[in-house]
């Protein structure tokens, strides 16, 4: 459905104090200056709203715990914040007053105020959890939303691709590597010497073997024994590039030395420049 913006109601702007005072002095309430003149005005202009306000004014001496404050003459009509214009009311009474005033004066602000005070249900954390479970049970039963068969098939296809190298991913990695400050490392004739700190086994890469940091992960996986406690750590390291770049900072000159490391998951790393 296309909505025509010309049919929308213009957004209301809050009046300044000066504008409110001008509107009040020019309006039908200009002769009201205290509680007595207010009561006199309400009696002389009897309607459902004014009669209800009079009822609430007369009961103010009763011992009640009030929830909110109602402006008898609304702020939109220049009503002041003085005590004679403020009426303590209960939550539901506040909604009733705005509804009655809208019926009499047909002002949009009263309609909105009345609607905004519809009964609000506050749920506890346990009730929210139970409602969420019921929602999932309903979706599963109807096979909709997350449990839709097509959605499930797509999610399964995506999860099967996790960790797999695809041409599109390689292209994206290469584009990111071009903007990396470590790219100059892989463009030089540098060999990396990896030494296992436990077994003292060492392996040396060939010059220009790596185009980006992420490729070093697959290289280390080839030489890390499956029985090693570091094997799963390297395999499951989702932030390998970030973590190994900290080792590169320690090896290379001209790169920020904050958060440097000399080893990665049991592998000591050295750079050999030809």
């Amino acid at each position: 459905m296309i909505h025509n913006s010309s049919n929308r109601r213009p957004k209301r702007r809050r009046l300044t104090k000066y504008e409110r005072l001008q509107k009040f002095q020019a309006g039908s309430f200009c002769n009201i200056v205290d509680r007595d003149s207010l009561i006199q005005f309400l009696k002389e202009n009897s309607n459902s709203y004014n009669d209800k306000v009079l009822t609430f004014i007369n009961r103010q001496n009763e011992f009640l715990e009030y929830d909110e404050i109602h402006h008898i003459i609304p702020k939109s009509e220049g009503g002041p914040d003085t005590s004679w214009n403020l009426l303590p009311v209960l939550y539901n009474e506040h909604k009733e007053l705005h509804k009655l005033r809208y019926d009499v004066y047909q002002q949009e602000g009263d309609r909105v105020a009345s609607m905004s005070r519809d009964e609000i249900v506050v749920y506890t954390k346990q009730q929210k959890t139970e409602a969420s479970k019921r929602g999932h049970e309903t979706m599963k039963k109807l096979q909709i939303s997350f449990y839709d068969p097509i959605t499930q098939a797509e999610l399964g296809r995506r999860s099967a691709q996790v960790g797999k190298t695809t041409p599109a991913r390689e292209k994206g990695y290469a584009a990111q590597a071009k903007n990396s400050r470590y790219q100059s490392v892989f463009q030089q004739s540098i060999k990396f010497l990896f030494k296992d700190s436990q077994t003292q086994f060492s392996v040396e890469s060939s010059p220009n073997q790596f185009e980006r940091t992420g490729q070093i992960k697959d290289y280390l996986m080839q030489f890390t024994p499956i029985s090693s406690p570091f094997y799963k750590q390297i395999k499951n390291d989702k932030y390998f590039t970030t973590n190994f770049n900290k080792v590169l900072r320690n090896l290379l000159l001209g790169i920020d030395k904050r958060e440097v490391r000399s080893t990665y998951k049991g592998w000591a790393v050295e750079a050999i420049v030809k």
Side-chain angles (χ1 to χ4, degrees):
M1 180 182 294
I2 300 176
H3 297 278
N4 188 353
S5 59
S6 62
N7 295 331
R8 295 178 182 174
R9 292 175 178 170
K11 188 175 181 180
R12 294 196 309 153
R13 180 180 66 83
R14 287 181 179 271
L15 299 177
T16 64
K17 288 185 178 180
Y18 178 71
E19 289 173 332
R20 284 167 50 192
L21 179 61
Q22 281 187 319
K23 191 167 186 177
F24 179 73
Q25 292 175 345
S28 57
F29 308 109
C30 59
N31 295 324
I32 303 175
V33 293
D34 54 23
R35 180 55 61 92
D36 292 335
S37 57
L38 172 64
I39 293 175
Q40 182 181 351
F41 175 86
L42 295 174
K43 289 180 177 178
E44 292 176 355
N45 298 272
S46 178
N47 56 48
S48 58
Y49 171 72
N50 291 346
D51 294 345
K52 179 63 72 171
V53 170
L54 276 172
T55 304
F56 289 155
I57 290 176
N58 294 331
R59 65 104 192 253
Q60 283 194 41
N61 293 329
E62 299 178 15
F63 182 75
L64 290 173
E65 292 185 2
Y66 300 105
D67 298 324
E68 299 180 353
I69 298 295
H70 174 69
H71 286 75
I72 300 173
I73 303 172
K75 285 185 151 186
S76 60
E77 293 297 307
D81 291 327
T82 51
S83 59
W84 59 262
N85 191 44
L86 302 179
L87 180 64
V89 290
L90 300 175
Y91 183 87
N92 290 333
E93 292 172 349
H94 202 177
K95 176 184 176 182
E96 181 186 7
L97 284 171
H98 278 291
K99 186 177 183 304
L100 290 172
R101 195 174 194 285
Y102 176 71
D103 293 339
V104 175
Y105 297 99
Q106 292 294 303
Q107 290 185 346
E108 185 67 11
D110 291 305
R111 186 186 70 84
V112 174
S114 175
M115 290 177 60
S116 65
R117 282 170 172 77
D118 285 337
E119 186 176 356
I120 300 175
V121 180
V122 180
Y123 294 100
T124 63
K125 186 175 181 181
Q126 183 180 357
Q127 289 173 325
K128 288 181 180 179
T129 303
E130 292 174 353
S132 178
K133 287 181 179 179
R134 289 195 298 271
H136 277 279
E137 290 172 359
T138 302
M139 288 189 294
K140 192 172 183 180
K141 183 178 180 180
L142 300 177
Q143 293 189 338
I144 58 176
S145 187
F146 177 78
Y147 297 97
D148 176 64
I150 298 177
T151 303
Q152 286 291 311
E154 176 64 17
L155 292 174
R157 185 190 68 78
R158 291 182 186 178
S159 62
Q161 297 296 325
V162 172
K164 288 188 177 181
T165 302
T166 62
R169 286 184 180 175
E170 283 294 332
K171 187 177 180 180
Y173 293 147
Q176 291 176 0
K178 287 182 181 180
N179 299 322
S180 172
R181 59 179 173 172
Y182 302 99
Q183 182 59 19
S184 59
V185 177
F186 304 109
Q187 293 174 349
Q188 301 174 17
S189 297
I190 293 180
K191 296 190 294 184
F192 289 98
L193 178 65
F194 302 95
K195 188 174 182 179
D196 192 323
S197 56
Q198 291 184 337
T199 63
Q200 302 303 313
F201 169 78
S202 62
V203 59
E204 184 178 306
S205 68
S206 57
N208 301 326
Q209 181 170 346
F210 308 113
E211 296 180 359
R212 55 183 177 81
T213 308
Q215 293 176 339
I216 299 177
K217 179 177 182 178
D218 296 332
Y219 183 81
L220 289 179
M221 290 289 294
Q222 296 177 19
F223 300 102
T224 304
I226 298 179
S227 57
S228 170
F230 297 114
Y231 182 84
K232 285 187 177 180
Q233 294 181 23
I234 298 174
K235 182 179 180 181
N236 298 327
D237 190 356
K238 296 180 180 180
Y239 307 101
F240 175 84
T241 299
T242 301
N243 293 330
F244 198 84
N245 280 343
K246 295 176 183 178
V247 179
L248 294 182
R249 290 189 198 133
N250 188 50
L251 298 176
L252 306 172
L253 298 176
I255 293 183
D256 190 359
K257 295 294 183 179
R258 291 176 297 177
E259 291 190 74
V260 297
R261 294 179 182 174
S262 58
T263 62
Y264 173 79
K265 308 296 184 186
W267 286 99
V269 186
E270 297 178 16
I272 303 173
V273 182
K274 291 184 65 177

